[in-house]
Amino acid sequence: MADKKQRLGRQDWINAGFRALTQKGPEGLRVEPVARELRSTKGSFYWHFKDLSALQDAMLHYWEDAATHRIIARLEKLPRGLPRLEALVQAVNMPHEAQGGAGAEAAIRAWGNSFAPAGDAVGRVDAARLAFLKECMADVGVDAPELPALFYAAHLGLEQLSVNTDIAPVQILTRLVEMVKQTIN
C-alpha cells in the first residue's frame, strides 16, 4: 500500500516562503517556485492563502511574533536583572532551517529595503527589541544609553557573520554580558 502524501499546512507554506526568501531573495518569493520546492501545487497554496500578498503578510506576522514577541513574553516571566539579561542571550538563537536558517533575518532586513510592509515589520521588531533590551540594561544598573544599541548591533552583525563562518553569536554575546557585569560591580 502506498503512503499517502502528507497534507501541507499553512505553516509549511510560511516556512517555504522564508527558505525561498533566504536562498533567492525577494524574487524567489513566488507561488509557483515555492510550490515546486514543496512538491505541491498552486492549488494547495491557494487553499491556505488568497494570494502572494497574504503569504507575505503571514510570513512577516510570524517573524514578528516568533522572533520577538514570544521571546519577550517568555523572558518577562523571569526575574528582572542579570537572570533576564543572561536568558535573553540564550533566547536569541537563529531561526530553524525550516525557516531559512541563519540567513533568514538578514534576508528579511534586505527585503525591507524594497518592500514597504517588510520595512515596516523590521522597524517594529527593532523598536520592540531595543525597548526590551534598554529595560534589561536598566534593570542591571547600566546607565549608558548607547549600550543597548551597540549590543543589538553586535547581535545582528554576529548573526550575519555566522552564516559563512564558525562564529558563535551566543558565545560572544555571553562575553558581552560578562563585560556588562564587570561595569556594574
Side-chain angles (χ1 to χ4, degrees):
M1 184 162 96
D3 290 336
K4 285 189 175 183
K5 187 176 179 181
Q6 188 171 348
R7 288 184 183 231
L8 295 174
R10 185 174 169 86
Q11 189 62 48
D12 295 311
W13 286 97
I14 291 170
N15 291 349
F18 281 122
R19 289 190 303 273
L21 179 66
T22 302
Q23 295 165 3
K24 299 173 186 137
E27 59 279 353
L29 194 51
R30 300 194 189 290
V31 176
E32 198 165 321
V34 173
R36 237 186 340 265
E37 191 256 328
L38 287 173
R39 296 186 176 125
S40 188
T41 64
K42 291 191 300 184
S44 173
F45 171 84
Y46 289 110
W47 177 260
H48 298 288
F49 299 98
K50 176 182 171 193
D51 54 22
L52 181 60
S53 179
L55 171 63
Q56 292 168 329
D57 289 346
M59 289 170 61
L60 292 170
H61 176 77
Y62 177 83
W63 175 65
E64 270 188 80
D65 187 51
T68 303
H69 301 300
R70 286 186 209 168
I71 292 170
I72 290 172
R74 191 171 67 241
L75 294 173
E76 284 178 332
K77 295 175 184 173
L78 298 175
R80 296 177 88 98
L82 283 172
R84 191 179 284 186
L85 185 60
E86 291 168 334
L88 174 61
V89 169
Q90 298 302 316
V92 293
N93 53 9
M94 313 277 189
H96 296 286
E97 288 304 316
Q99 285 107 26
E105 176 115 3
I108 293 166
R109 291 177 173 284
W111 186 27
N113 293 329
S114 61
F115 183 61
D120 294 343
V122 168
R124 288 189 303 271
V125 161
D126 286 346
R129 289 175 177 176
L130 277 169
F132 185 71
L133 190 51
K134 285 177 186 175
E135 180 183 303
C136 288
M137 293 285 185
D139 287 346
V140 297
V142 172
D143 190 26
E146 67 283 351
L147 191 56
L150 287 169
F151 194 92
Y152 186 50
H155 162 67
L156 293 175
L158 289 165
E159 187 175 73
Q160 202 158 6
L161 281 173
S162 72
V163 173
N164 296 315
T165 66
D166 289 338
I167 290 176
V170 171
Q171 290 174 340
I172 295 172
L173 292 174
T174 299
R175 178 65 183 122
L176 281 175
V177 170
E178 292 297 322
M179 294 166 75
V180 167
K181 284 182 193 178
Q182 292 171 0
T183 66
I184 59 173
N185 290 334

